[in-house]
Amino acid sequence: MSAVFEKALELSLKGEYIEAIMFLRREGDTRNPKTWILIGRSYCHVEGEAFQAIKAFQEAKRLNPQCIAAYTFLARTYENLGKPMRAEEIIDEGLRENPGSAELWEAKASCCMNRSNFIEAFQIAENLEQEDTVAACKIRARANGIYAQEDNDLQILREALANWDAAINLNPEDFESWMGKAEILSFMGNYNGAIKAVNHVLKLVPGYKVAKEMKEELIHERKQNARFLRFIPKL
């Protein structure tokens, strides 16, 4: 990782998105797809700049049609714009270029979940089991988590948590799995456990704004929950 890219990444993780974009446009290697990926990721956090993010990811894809991150972030941006069908088209295009990418198959599973097609998502996880067990665990964790939260099913929530733990055991450096675990623990009312998971994310990615905001929200929810419990009469 170049010093320029490292500095821009640090700015972006701290939430200084405009500064990161300006720095990369001024100092970054615009022939490198990774430069455009980070520009796009930063634009995603700036209100009203989704189109600029799309342009950046498209430029990364143009420079390197095998750039997996270009497809995943471009699809995610379309999802956030309320265009899930376009997002899935992007992932399918990426899979034609990179049919063996576990990351793209993981994104394809997310598209299936958006269509409430959990059977296909679990099938993708099963197909990935031998090639990339972490990706398979993460797919099952997300699918179980969405399904359980819709039905308020504690047993399936526990299965989601078990899959996040399995993913973490296989790759303790994967901060996304720690964030997923925190979300499930929060939904289960285990705020201390959720905060502990987010603290681990902040050890892996110091200054990560999303994790810091999640931690603040969890602390607030824990206080609100404790205040509520004091008013419930003891039986």
Side-chain angles (χ1 to χ4, degrees):
M1 185 185 298
S2 72
V4 169
F5 190 86
E6 191 172 345
K7 174 65 176 177
L9 180 60
E10 181 183 350
L11 288 169
S12 185
L13 288 172
K14 288 180 177 178
E16 298 175 20
Y17 305 116
I18 297 297
E19 291 82 355
I21 292 164
M22 292 175 63
F23 180 70
L24 280 169
R25 286 189 178 278
R26 187 176 64 251
E27 305 288 344
D29 179 4
T30 54
R31 298 165 299 177
N32 188 335
K34 289 183 179 180
T35 298
W36 290 102
I37 293 296
L38 187 50
I39 288 173
R41 288 177 62 183
S42 298
Y43 268 127
C44 283
H45 293 281
V46 181
E47 188 174 355
E49 295 290 2
F51 181 66
Q52 292 296 331
I54 288 170
K55 284 175 64 177
F57 297 138
Q58 286 174 334
E59 179 61 13
K61 184 160 67 75
R62 185 191 69 79
L63 288 167
N64 181 8
Q66 276 74 51
C67 179
I68 292 166
Y71 297 98
T72 56
F73 283 113
L74 184 55
R76 194 175 300 173
T77 305
Y78 277 114
E79 277 186 6
N80 292 337
L81 288 171
K83 298 181 178 181
M85 292 179 65
R86 179 61 181 140
E88 190 159 6
E89 288 172 0
I90 294 294
I91 294 302
D92 289 340
E93 180 188 347
L95 283 168
R96 287 192 292 273
E97 294 286 346
N98 307 274
S101 168
E103 189 175 345
L104 284 169
W105 279 112
E106 190 179 335
K108 176 67 174 180
S110 293
C111 292
C112 296
M113 295 176 216
N114 289 337
R115 293 188 274 107
S116 297
N117 189 342
F118 294 100
I119 292 175
E120 187 175 349
F122 280 116
Q123 184 60 56
I124 290 171
E126 185 176 336
N127 293 342
L128 283 174
E129 188 68 53
Q130 297 300 320
E131 182 181 345
D132 192 326
T133 310
V134 174
C137 289
K138 290 167 74 173
I139 291 169
R140 283 193 289 265
R142 289 195 180 100
N144 282 328
I146 293 169
Y147 186 82
Q149 289 179 50
E150 288 177 354
D151 286 9
N152 202 24
D153 189 316
L154 183 58
Q155 180 56 40
I156 298 180
L157 276 173
R158 290 187 179 123
E159 291 177 19
L161 184 59
N163 276 292
W164 283 125
D165 280 335
I168 288 166
N169 286 337
L170 289 165
N171 183 9
E173 304 297 308
D174 184 356
F175 73 90
E176 285 187 354
S177 294
W178 286 100
M179 291 287 281
K181 178 176 181 174
E183 183 181 353
I184 293 298
L185 287 170
S186 171
F187 192 81
M188 295 172 74
N190 185 349
Y191 298 109
N192 289 336
I195 291 167
K196 185 177 179 180
V198 174
N199 282 338
H200 198 89
V201 173
L202 290 168
K203 287 181 181 177
L204 293 172
V205 192
Y208 184 28
K209 185 180 179 184
V210 175
K212 288 170 72 175
E213 289 175 348
M214 186 177 188
K215 181 178 178 179
E216 289 172 5
E217 185 177 332
L218 286 167
I219 291 170
H220 175 72
E221 288 180 4
R222 182 175 63 180
K223 287 179 180 177
Q224 291 293 102
N225 187 61
R227 189 176 297 118
F228 172 74
L229 290 174
R230 284 204 299 271
F231 289 98
I232 297 178
K234 293 182 180 180
L235 299 178

